[in-house]
Amino acid sequence: MSSEQQNTTNIPPIFLKPYEPSEHEARLYKMWEESGFFNPDICIEKGITKADAETFSIVMPPPNANGSLHAGHALFVTVQDIMIRYARMQGKRTLWIPGADHAGFETQIVYEKKLEKEGRSRFQMTSEELYAEIMQFTLANKDFMLGQIRELGASCDWSRLLFTLDPRVIDIVYKTFKQMEEDKLVYRGARIVNWCPKHQTSLSNLETKSVERKDPFYYFQYGPFVIGTARPETKFGDKYVVVHPDDTRYAEFTHGQQIELEWINGPITATVIKDEASDPDMGSGAMTITPWHSGVDFEIAKRHNLDYEQVIDWKGKLLPIAEEFTGMNIMEARAKIVEKLEAKGLLVKIDSEYMHSVPCCFKCEREIEPQIRDQWFVTTKPLAEKALGAVADKKVTFVTEAQERVFKHWLENIEDWNISRQIVWGIPIPAKICTKCGHGMVDLEDTITECTKCAGQVEKDPDTFDTWFSSGQWPLATTNYPDSQDFADYYPTSVMETGKDIIFFWVSRMIMFGLYRTGEVPFKSVYLHGMVLDKQGKKMSKSKGNVIAPSEIQSKYGTDALRMGLIVNNAPGTDMNLDPDKINANKKFANKLWNITRFVLDATADLPSGATLTEEDQANIATILTVNTTEITKYMNTDRFDLASEKIYHFVWDYFASELIEASKPLLASNDTAVRASRQALLAEYLVTSVKLLHPFMPFVTEAIWQELPKTMKDQDILMVAPWPTN
RNA sequence: GCGCGCAUAGCUCAGCUGGUUAGAGCGUUCGCAUGACAUGCGAAAGGCCCCAGGUUCAAAUCCUGGUGCGCGUACCA
């Protein structure tokens, strides 16, 4: 193209160089935000949306306000923004409520690591000091992170932003807690909990992870029995030996029989217990139990009303019951105990090939020490049953059936949920604890002064809630349950879109709490996306150095390219490998669209108004444009954004650009003005439709183009609220 | 151990309510400055659709078994 020819066209100068995302994204987001159209109330006010239009709502999973956004965040923002932009263009009353999560334990750990680096420790601070510092840290991160969500193009309603420590949230959580006490769905009791000796707090089952390991498995002579164990250090308190009632090897022993025997620190009296929990096929079929430090043993002890004795302290060191081993770290003690038992001739054999998996703290990977501790628990069975009922009744559906099966399996096998945490960063448990009998009483008004059970002294519960106890009520908080208009209009929300890794942590709890408080499910469908992995399919982690930061991708390739890269070829529920080459391919696609626009605007500069289409061009629209629009819409309606985006990509590139534009060149040069005008109108139609279809996926480049289109081509000033193409 | 899932082109993955020559992106090879675009255009190569059985006129697609991998969950006797 010569420079003279450039000057004779009316191509807006913006198109005379390649699409440069950084020149447009910030100004376009500002324009959207200032338009007010993220807020459905304003859309109605300005006549964009009908007041009685169908609603579409999503509650955003509030990102943890303790760092910057990772690729997983970028994925969920993208998927939800696609849903939201599509719904808005369809004319629905569309609401997306953003939030930010204080993220309890997670954030406290991030902050503790920071303290460690500074040579400080939370154990040298008062709770108030620590809380204040973490609050400051979290609020700073929150603003930073919300800025990054804006940069991803999220068209959420910022006027409804909610933080998980907002008084409104706490109020709902407290009322739920109180109501659950009345309904006997929470209780405080001494039960086995997952104790992390490093973090000095109990954890829910979900907050532990199994680590596969090979450990020596020891067989010891225990009076007339041979018992097996991988944990000799817990055996000081063992004075019960359990065998299966039907195990003929032990038929001579009776339940309750007492036996004198030589043990680690001298002679002891052991009692024989017959219980079906003992597996005859495992080892010798005889086992000793440590009720204070094992869930299974705890249950056996409970059944037979046996004694409990703590052997290991909260820091993971042996207590005085261990006599000469007192104060030793368990790993150090293990070897010494084995040595001693061997010297006493009580070591039978060692199996060095024993594989088992050990529950570890999901954050620090230190071995969990099961401990008995007075904690608050939720009785989950009745709540789970209601949730299962709602799934069975299709009140809530899952985007892939496989996810529904996983979900049901978990609910069917659910156990009581430990909801108290010994950390400061969280919502305090509003309760009084009896110093004498340990009884717990929910006390919202701070009025309880003595134990309702034993009239003993009470003190304030020092613990905080498991974050998921409050997060589970997030749909209620964000819609301002119970008396708000938002709750009436938008609850249950249309879809819960989140990562499949938190299906149990979060999705299940929201369904249980939603049903419990309101009688209705909190959302009608659950769309679970997979994990974003690196190019080779490995989990991204800082230590591996394979983390792809969204912000870096955005500055290199543009936000639209990142969004497309995250969506195309990523079927719902499956993990995806994020490959920068793929993002680069979509950067090129944005530029392609840019150049298509340049061509079409140039070719249609003298487009007469009201040009009629030739028969050929009418047929083209009917057989190609309409068909593609219909198919893409069908994919959108079934949440197959991976297929919809791929289809648009090929439609725009392979058909519109490669075929239609090429075929149009001779027609545009035609002397037949009717043919020429018809083709001009056809190209304009294709451009407008393409840009609309692409907008949910690539909001920035499409809006940038839209803003340059002549008014005659547009049915709205802002593409974000333009109507979705229909037939 | 139990549950869920995956196995298709060099790589990453679609397709799988069974039906013409199995698709895409990236990559590779060859050729092109073609008046929108070299962030481009045109072409090409590349696949016992994991294995073995079965159902069927017909199987990548459904069933059974096996192998390999991933995830979840239990068990520390």
Side-chain angles (χ1 to χ4, degrees):
Chain A
M1 186 193 292
S2 77
S3 57
E4 293 115 276
Q5 275 167 319
Q6 275 183 28
N7 294 339
T8 61
T9 72
N10 72 336
I11 302 171
I14 201 172
F15 291 110
L16 293 178
K17 55 178 189 169
Y19 177 63
E20 181 44 62
S22 61
E23 288 174 14
H24 306 287
E25 294 183 359
R27 72 174 171 94
L28 292 170
Y29 195 85
K30 189 158 172 268
M31 180 192 77
W32 291 327
E33 199 168 359
E34 285 172 357
S35 75
F37 295 149
F38 292 165
N39 182 339
D41 305 328
I42 292 179
C43 286
I44 292 171
E45 235 175 78
K46 300 261 180 84
I48 300 286
T49 310
K50 292 194 182 115
D52 60 351
E54 183 188 339
T55 60
F56 183 87
S57 53
I58 296 179
V59 170
M60 181 189 293
N64 297 350
N66 56 28
S68 46
L69 295 191
H70 58 243
H73 290 121
L75 175 60
F76 89 63
V77 168
T78 302
V79 172
Q80 289 169 43
D81 195 48
I82 289 168
M83 292 176 171
I84 288 289
R85 285 181 187 269
Y86 174 54
R88 194 184 289 116
M89 291 176 80
Q90 286 177 297
K92 294 181 184 170
R93 283 173 71 184
T94 305
L95 176 61
W96 187 16
I97 308 174
D101 194 353
H102 73 286
F105 187 50
E106 299 258 0
T107 300
Q108 176 148 342
I109 287 165
V110 171
Y111 199 76
E112 280 180 22
K113 280 193 187 146
K114 187 171 173 273
L115 286 176
E116 234 170 82
K117 271 188 203 150
E118 295 164 2
R120 302 160 69 200
S121 161
R122 73 144 143 144
F123 301 109
Q124 299 156 355
M125 301 167 75
T126 67
S127 309
E128 291 75 19
E129 283 166 357
L130 183 61
Y131 187 93
E133 284 194 24
I134 301 179
M135 179 62 97
Q136 202 179 11
F137 171 78
T138 303
L139 292 180
N141 272 304
K142 174 174 156 249
D143 291 340
F144 175 70
M145 205 192 57
L146 296 178
Q148 291 192 308
I149 291 177
R150 285 181 162 85
E151 285 168 10
L152 285 166
S155 62
C156 51
D157 183 0
W158 294 107
S159 73
R160 284 169 163 94
L161 175 70
L162 192 62
F163 178 48
T164 54
L165 288 181
D166 189 281
R168 193 167 105 201
V169 181
I170 294 172
D171 184 58
I172 288 174
V173 170
Y174 279 7
K175 283 181 177 149
T176 302
F177 190 50
K178 179 67 191 167
Q179 193 181 323
M180 289 177 84
E181 182 191 50
E182 286 164 11
D183 292 342
K184 301 202 170 2
L185 288 170
V186 291
Y187 62 92
R188 193 162 199 275
R191 289 194 25 169
I192 291 274
V193 297
N194 301 301
W195 183 262
C196 174
K198 174 174 164 74
H199 292 114
Q200 292 291 295
T201 181
S202 65
L203 298 169
S204 70
N205 292 345
L206 289 175
E207 288 160 323
T208 68
K209 66 170 189 184
S210 314
V211 176
E212 188 95 353
R213 229 171 48 189
K214 190 150 107 184
D215 280 319
F217 189 83
Y218 307 94
Y219 289 90
F220 298 120
Q221 197 65 44
Y222 189 77
F225 304 97
V226 173
I227 57 142
T229 185
R231 296 200 63 187
E233 70 278 10
T234 63
K235 295 291 160 195
F236 295 102
D238 291 13
K239 50 186 186 183
Y240 302 104
V241 58
V242 183
V243 295
H244 195 279
D246 301 337
D247 194 329
T248 50
R249 286 171 293 182
Y250 305 109
E252 61 180 291
F253 299 97
T254 56
H255 179 76
Q257 184 178 343
Q258 302 218 316
I259 293 167
E260 302 294 322
L261 58 88
E262 181 62 23
W263 195 226
I264 311 170
N265 290 326
I268 61 161
T269 306
T271 306
V272 177
I273 299 294
K274 299 224 168 178
D275 191 285
E276 307 205 335
S278 180
D279 180 357
D281 298 331
M282 186 81 191
S284 63
M287 65 173 174
T288 61
I289 57 169
T290 314
W292 196 285
H293 298 291
S294 154
V296 176
D297 296 0
F298 177 81
E299 292 301 322
I300 295 171
K302 221 164 67 178
R303 275 200 288 281
H304 301 284
N305 206 17
L306 310 179
D307 296 338
Y308 306 80
E309 246 174 310
Q310 188 170 10
V311 180
I312 298 162
D313 75 2
W314 306 105
K315 294 273 174 68
K317 293 194 178 358
L318 287 165
L319 288 164
I321 190 175
E323 298 186 11
E324 63 180 279
F325 301 99
T326 302
M328 269 187 208
N329 180 289
I330 52 172
M331 284 321 241
E332 182 193 354
R334 184 177 292 181
K336 297 214 162 112
I337 292 161
V338 173
E339 240 172 69
K340 183 169 178 188
L341 282 166
E342 187 174 16
K344 294 178 89 167
L346 297 176
L347 175 65
V348 179
K349 62 171 176 170
I350 302 174
D351 175 4
S352 53
E353 294 299 308
Y354 178 66
M355 286 294 294
H356 63 160
S357 44
V358 182
C360 292
C361 172
F362 77 136
K363 280 296 153 190
C364 68
E365 304 212 349
R366 240 186 102 161
E367 226 175 288
I368 289 292
E369 187 58 67
Q371 294 270 14
I372 295 180
R373 197 177 170 100
D374 262 317
Q375 295 281 291
W376 287 98
F377 291 89
V378 170
T379 305
T380 44
K381 285 257 187 299
L383 298 169
E385 274 164 28
K386 281 204 177 123
L388 282 167
V391 174
D393 295 344
K394 297 279 168 211
K395 294 259 167 51
V396 55
T397 57
F398 288 76
V399 164
T400 56
E401 280 180 35
Q403 303 290 352
E404 183 175 316
R405 281 193 286 274
V406 170
F407 182 76
K408 279 156 85 172
H409 182 257
W410 187 76
L411 279 181
E412 282 159 4
N413 297 291
I414 196 166
E415 289 181 20
D416 282 3
W417 170 22
N418 172 205
I419 53 166
S420 31
R421 296 288 177 276
Q422 292 68 53
I423 57 173
V424 304
W425 184 240
I427 298 177
I429 297 178
K432 294 281 164 57
I433 308 301
C434 176
T435 53
K436 205 167 134 198
C437 72
H439 182 52
M441 295 144 276
V442 178
D443 187 15
L444 301 189
E445 313 292 332
D446 198 17
T447 50
I448 293 173
T449 53
E450 63 169 37
C451 178
T452 53
K453 237 182 173 173
C454 72
Q457 273 200 327
V458 296
E459 61 181 19
K460 195 180 167 337
D461 188 334
D463 291 350
T464 50
F465 283 118
D466 177 357
T467 313
W468 300 101
F469 185 77
S470 51
S471 300
Q473 301 173 57
W474 191 238
L476 304 173
T478 46
T479 55
N480 214 349
Y481 175 76
D483 296 320
S484 73
Q485 192 58 45
D486 276 357
F487 182 75
D489 288 343
Y490 299 108
Y491 186 99
T493 60
S494 308
V495 52
M496 169 48 60
E497 198 288 327
T498 190
K500 67 174 185 183
D501 55 330
I502 54 176
I503 180 170
F504 306 136
F505 275 113
W506 200 38
V507 177
S508 66
R509 271 82 179 254
M510 285 189 287
I511 294 176
M512 291 193 281
F513 282 125
L515 285 166
Y516 176 61
R517 286 301 303 272
T518 74
E520 271 191 87
V521 293
F523 29 76
K524 294 170 200 154
S525 74
V526 178
Y527 177 108
L528 295 167
H529 61 252
M531 303 295 98
V532 182
L533 309 170
D534 77 358
K535 191 180 171 178
Q536 274 84 33
K538 298 258 164 43
K539 205 166 174 177
M540 291 187 197
S541 74
K542 281 176 198 158
S543 53
K544 275 188 225 144
N546 61 349
V547 173
I548 303 178
S551 55
E552 284 170 30
I553 295 284
Q554 284 170 276
S555 54
K556 196 164 171 197
Y557 304 102
T559 301
D560 291 324
L562 170 65
R563 289 170 59 120
M564 280 293 273
L566 286 166
I567 292 299
V568 179
N569 217 342
N570 181 17
T574 56
D575 293 346
M576 74 160 316
N577 302 357
L578 188 58
D579 181 355
D581 284 343
K582 189 172 149 197
I583 297 166
N584 189 40
N586 282 293
K587 180 187 178 184
K588 292 180 185 175
F589 180 55
N591 192 53
K592 183 75 187 178
L593 191 67
W594 197 245
N595 282 305
I596 289 170
T597 307
R598 170 175 169 174
F599 176 84
V600 174
L601 287 184
D602 186 26
T604 59
D606 58 344
L607 172 67
S609 60
T612 49
L613 294 181
T614 59
E615 268 179 41
E616 187 197 341
D617 287 349
Q618 281 177 29
N620 176 292
I621 293 216
T623 56
I624 297 176
L625 186 60
T626 305
V627 169
N628 275 282
T629 302
T630 305
E631 283 181 21
I632 289 160
T633 303
K634 206 175 89 196
Y635 285 137
M636 298 299 281
N637 289 341
T638 50
D639 292 325
R640 290 304 302 265
F641 308 118
D642 55 325
L643 301 179
S645 54
E646 196 185 357
K647 181 106 195 153
I648 305 171
Y649 182 100
H650 289 295
F651 169 66
V652 169
W653 201 313
D654 298 341
Y655 180 74
F656 185 14
S658 300
E659 283 190 42
L660 186 67
I661 286 183
E662 292 308 322
S664 297
K665 283 175 182 172
L667 299 175
L668 290 167
S670 165
N671 291 327
D672 183 334
T673 49
V675 167
R676 186 171 127 79
S678 169
R679 190 46 63 136
Q680 287 177 314
L682 182 77
L683 290 174
E685 175 87 17
Y686 266 83
L687 178 63
V688 165
T689 304
S690 300
V691 159
K692 282 184 171 185
L693 292 173
L694 260 172
H695 183 254
F697 301 92
M698 308 184 92
F700 290 109
V701 67
T702 52
E703 186 74 75
I705 288 168
W706 190 264
Q707 291 306 313
E708 304 300 328
L709 296 183
K711 279 215 176 295
T712 48
M713 285 191 194
K714 297 190 276 198
D715 43 16
Q716 275 293 345
D717 291 337
I718 294 180
L719 176 58
M720 186 177 78
V721 292
W724 184 257
T726 54
N727 317 311

